[in-house]
Amino acid sequence: MLSDEAEVDAKPELEIYADDVKCSHGCTVGKLDDSAMFYMQTRGISVNMARKLLIQAFAGEIIEKVSHENIKSKIYERLEQILEI
């Protein structure tokens, strides 16, 4: 979660049909990787910039799946505006 005020209401689903179990989640939640944060800080990157870079990398993996180049470019631009990079 990206702020102390953020809240997540996930709805996990579990289906069991004759010994065939399927589980799915509407979202995955976790905090930024402490070791990655530490690694960047030991190389002179501020806590704030390290946080922004990790968020950008996480979002980038998702954005790269967008096939339309113009839309992908606009999403990257908006992300940079939000993160103030």
Side-chain angles (χ1 to χ4, degrees), residues 66-77:
V66 175
S67 59
H68 194 281
E69 291 301 320
N70 289 337
I71 294 174
K72 185 187 302 187
S73 175
K74 293 292 183 189
I75 296 170
Y76 272 122
E77 287 175 19

Side-chain angles (χ1 to χ4, degrees), residues 28-44:
T28 302
V29 179
K31 63 181 190 159
L32 295 175
D33 185 347
D34 289 333
S35 61
M37 289 288 292
F38 177 77
Y39 178 86
M40 287 190 272
Q41 289 174 61
T42 61
R43 278 135 185 92

Side-chain angles (χ1 to χ4, degrees), residues 11-61:
K11 182 184 169 197
E13 296 180 20
L14 181 63
E15 297 178 9
I16 303 173
Y17 296 105
D19 296 328
D20 182 21
V21 178
K22 293 181 182 179
C23 181
S24 63
H25 297 273
C27 64
T28 302
V29 179
K31 63 181 190 159
L32 295 175
D33 185 347
D34 289 333
S35 61
M37 289 288 292
F38 177 77
Y39 178 86
M40 287 190 272
Q41 289 174 61
T42 61
R43 278 135 185 92
I45 298 172
S46 70
V47 173
N48 190 38
M49 182 54 77
R51 187 172 182 272
K52 289 178 180 183
L53 290 171
L54 285 176
I55 293 168
Q56 184 180 34
F58 176 79
E61 287 185 30

